[in-house]
Amino acid sequence: MSVELNHTIIHSRDNRESAAFLADLLGLEVGEEWGPFVPVVLANGVTLDFATIPEESIVPQHYAFLISEAEFDAAFGRIQELGIAYYADPHMKLPGRINHNDGGRGVYFPDPSGHGMEIITRPYGG
């Protein structure tokens, strides 16, 4: 049997807000609430299940999404339109810039719960 990631739970201050934030930026749909989770399904079938927990319990995580050049243009345009802070690096020391690692484009930005989100057009080392 091959091993695939099926789903993961992302802790958030507000599960609906965080799911809608990511879905809007990436052109995805927010699924129907299921128990304490609000799902966003990615193209490869992986589901991100957003769960509301107390803000003080959230440990910031990093989530990177491989997208096409056209999807990058659309997502980055939404980031700029919404006035979301963005960075060329994961340490957030290069504000207002994107990177061109491995011949692609990439950018880092925070989600409403403080997680580090990243969109890239080429996998690292590719």
Side-chain angles (χ1 to χ4, degrees):
M1 176 172 114
S2 63
V3 177
E4 297 180 3
L5 180 63
N6 177 265
H7 69 278
T8 192
I9 297 169
I10 299 177
H11 291 161
S12 57
R13 292 181 309 194
D14 179 313
N15 58 0
R16 177 121 345 246
E17 175 191 30
S18 290
F21 172 83
L22 185 65
D24 179 56
L25 287 182
L26 298 181
L28 301 170
E29 297 291 325
V30 174
E32 292 295 320
E33 191 166 344
W34 183 76
F37 307 114
V38 175
V40 173
V41 180
L42 306 179
N44 61 349
V46 174
T47 302
L48 305 177
D49 290 319
F50 289 87
T52 300
I53 68 166
E55 186 170 359
E56 63 275 6
S57 298
I58 296 172
V59 176
Q61 300 293 313
H62 174 77
Y63 300 93
F65 303 93
L66 179 62
I67 61 178
S68 71
E69 291 288 340
E71 290 165 331
F72 186 93
D73 289 339
F76 186 56
R78 285 191 285 278
I79 289 168
Q80 292 175 305
E81 287 171 20
L82 294 171
I84 298 168
Y86 62 91
Y87 305 84
D89 66 307
H91 303 292
M92 300 183 175
K93 296 189 188 281
L94 300 170
R97 295 169 46 190
I98 67 170
N99 67 58
H100 297 278
N101 297 338
D102 293 295
R105 294 185 290 164
V107 69
Y108 298 82
F109 55 96
D111 88 333
S113 296
H115 296 297
M117 300 295 183
E118 176 185 12
I119 53 174
I120 56 175
T121 60
R122 297 253 175 107
Y124 292 128

